[in-house]
């Protein structure tokens, strides 16, 4: 098929690679414009932009698709279908209607659960036991279109957003190739009205750990916000990000005031109910470290209050 690909971050790159490997003709790649990054604040192309250039593909990065000129240029590509995954711009109706077979979105949740911007983070933070990928026929609403294909996967007890992000990216790449292969025979399945939830964009203000919460809630926040923006706690005046954890199963270890270090070597910390074991941490201005290395340079005393 002749495909317009629309995506921006790392999550989208395996999808682009899969489409090329499957032999589809990429008419053009749309992504967000380069943004200032690094110490020199020089414009840096997005991951999709960089990969598309490596593949020798035409790249377009308009700041908006609302203008008539951009819409005419999009339609002039004569695409059979557009594949959209974490693109970052709302598609006007004229763009949705331009490809002969419409626009397909790869969404990282089991719709209608977790429509919106941060479905991977929210699924972990909410304690969902499973999530997955949906291939959705796009329409004007926010992730409201009918689903063509879906695939579920369990969320691991210690899985972080980073790890789940990578798994779902590969799943999406595989599933969209299957969807395009059988597109004419797929029956659109309208989303039910029941069970709709919205995955609001992650706000850095929600990243501070509240030790008065249960161990399960604290653990889910740590894993759900890892690696970005990173759940954090202040220790001796320094902000420390908590990037991996697990709930301590021995209830006896949960005896202590919320935020109290119960074991300085294992970094077990009491919560409002139960305790968590901190497995990977990062001090401000330092690299992320596994617990064993972290405590050598920044020891915490048993009984210390965080």
């Amino acid at each position: 098929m002749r495909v317009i690909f629309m995506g921006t971050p790392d999550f989208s790159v395996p999808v682009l690679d899969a489409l090329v490997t499957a032999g589809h003709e990429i008419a053009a790649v749309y992504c967000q414009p380069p943004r200032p990054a690094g110490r020199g604040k020089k414009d840096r192309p997005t991951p999709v932009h960089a990969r598309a250039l490596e593949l020798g593909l035409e790249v377009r990065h308009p700041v908006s698709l609302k203008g008539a000129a951009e819409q005419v240029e999009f339609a002039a590509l004569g695409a059979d279908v557009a594949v959209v995954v974490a693109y970052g711009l709302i598609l006007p109706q004229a763009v949705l209607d331009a490809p002969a077979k419409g626009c397909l979105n790869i969404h990282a949740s089991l719709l209608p659960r977790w429509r919106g911007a941060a479905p991977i983070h929210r699924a972990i933070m909410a304690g969902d036991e499973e999530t997955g990928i949906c291939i959705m026929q796009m329409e004007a609403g926010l992730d409201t279109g009918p689903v063509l294909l879906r695939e579920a996967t369990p969320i691991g007890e210690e899985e972080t957003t980073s790890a789940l992000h990578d798994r779902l990216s590969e799943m999406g790449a595989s599933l969209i190739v299957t969807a395009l292969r059988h597109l004419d025979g797929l029956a659109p399945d309208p989303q039910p009205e029941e069970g709709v939830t919205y995955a609001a964009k992650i706000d850095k203000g929600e990243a501070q750990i509240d030790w008065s919460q249960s161990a399960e809630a604290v653990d889910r926040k740590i894993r759900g916000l890892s690696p970005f923006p990173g759940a954090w706690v202040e220790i001796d005046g320094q902000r420390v990000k908590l990037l991996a954890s697990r709930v301590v199963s021995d209830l006896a270890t949960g005896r202590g005031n919320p935020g109290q270090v119960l074991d300085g070597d294992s970094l077990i910390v009491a919560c409002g109910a139960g305790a968590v074991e901190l497995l990977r941490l990062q001090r401000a201005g330092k690299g992320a470290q596994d617990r064993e290395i972290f405590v050598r340079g920044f020891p915490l005393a048993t009984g210390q209050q965080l």
Side-chain angles (χ1 to χ4, degrees):
M1 286 190 183
R2 184 169 169 81
V3 178
I4 296 173
F5 181 77
M6 310 180 81
T8 295
D10 287 322
F11 186 84
S12 311
V13 172
V15 180
L16 177 58
D17 285 339
L19 293 173
V20 171
T21 300
H24 295 288
E25 178 190 0
I26 308 300
V29 171
Y30 279 72
C31 58
Q32 289 288 293
R35 298 280 196 272
R39 293 183 179 179
K41 295 299 180 182
K42 295 182 179 179
D43 281 352
R44 179 182 297 174
T46 67
V48 164
H49 188 160
R51 181 58 179 151
L53 292 179
E54 291 174 353
L55 294 169
L57 302 173
E58 178 186 350
V59 179
R60 299 180 180 183
H61 41 74
V63 296
S64 170
L65 290 170
K66 295 180 180 179
E70 288 80 7
Q71 293 174 12
V72 169
E73 290 179 359
F74 186 89
L77 291 169
D80 296 309
V81 68
V83 171
V84 184
V85 52
Y87 174 42
L89 286 181
I90 294 175
L91 304 190
Q93 193 63 49
V95 170
L96 294 174
D97 293 340
K101 299 179 184 295
C103 299
L104 304 184
N105 177 247
I106 303 171
H107 188 75
S109 82
L110 298 176
L111 294 167
R113 186 157 179 81
W114 301 127
R115 295 175 180 173
I120 302 175
H121 300 77
R122 297 298 178 188
I124 292 177
M125 292 170 71
D128 290 5
E129 293 184 356
E130 68 172 7
T131 185
I133 290 290
C134 283
I135 307 298
M136 179 190 68
Q137 187 81 49
M138 294 182 71
E139 56 185 33
L142 177 63
D143 299 329
T144 58
V147 174
L148 299 177
L149 278 179
R150 67 174 65 224
E151 182 178 349
T153 185
I155 298 175
E157 290 185 0
E158 297 181 19
E159 197 160 25
T160 63
T161 284
S162 176
L164 184 56
H165 166 284
D166 292 349
R167 286 207 299 120
L168 291 175
S169 178
E170 295 295 338
M171 285 175 59
S174 176
L175 203 59
I176 190 62
V177 170
T178 300
L180 293 182
R181 186 183 304 126
H182 303 288
L183 188 55
D184 291 337
L186 296 178
D189 182 17
Q191 294 185 41
E193 296 297 326
E194 306 79 31
V196 174
T197 58
Y198 289 93
K201 184 177 179 180
I202 297 297
D203 186 334
K204 290 183 179 180
E206 63 185 303
Q208 185 174 8
I209 289 295
D210 177 1
W211 295 109
S212 69
Q213 293 183 322
S214 69
E216 289 77 14
V218 170
D219 172 65
R220 294 197 303 259
K221 174 172 281 192
I222 291 171
R223 292 185 294 109
L225 297 181
S226 176
F228 182 83
W232 63 271
V233 63
E234 192 168 285
I235 305 175
D236 294 336
Q238 293 192 45
R239 181 173 292 197
V240 177
K241 287 185 178 182
L242 312 178
L243 300 175
S245 61
R246 60 172 165 247
V247 175
V248 176
S249 58
D250 181 3
L251 295 180
T253 62
R255 295 173 183 167
N257 297 322
Q260 185 177 12
V261 179
L262 302 177
D263 186 327
D265 294 327
S266 298
L267 292 190
I268 295 175
V269 183
C271 301
V276 295
E277 185 176 3
L278 305 180
L279 303 176
R280 191 165 176 81
L281 306 90
Q282 182 177 13
R283 294 164 61 188
K286 306 287 185 179
Q289 296 176 318
D290 290 338
R291 172 189 56 204
E292 294 77 9
I293 298 175
F294 179 86
V295 296
R296 291 178 199 163
F298 196 77
L300 301 183
T302 299
Q304 183 174 347
Q305 190 68 36
L306 304 185

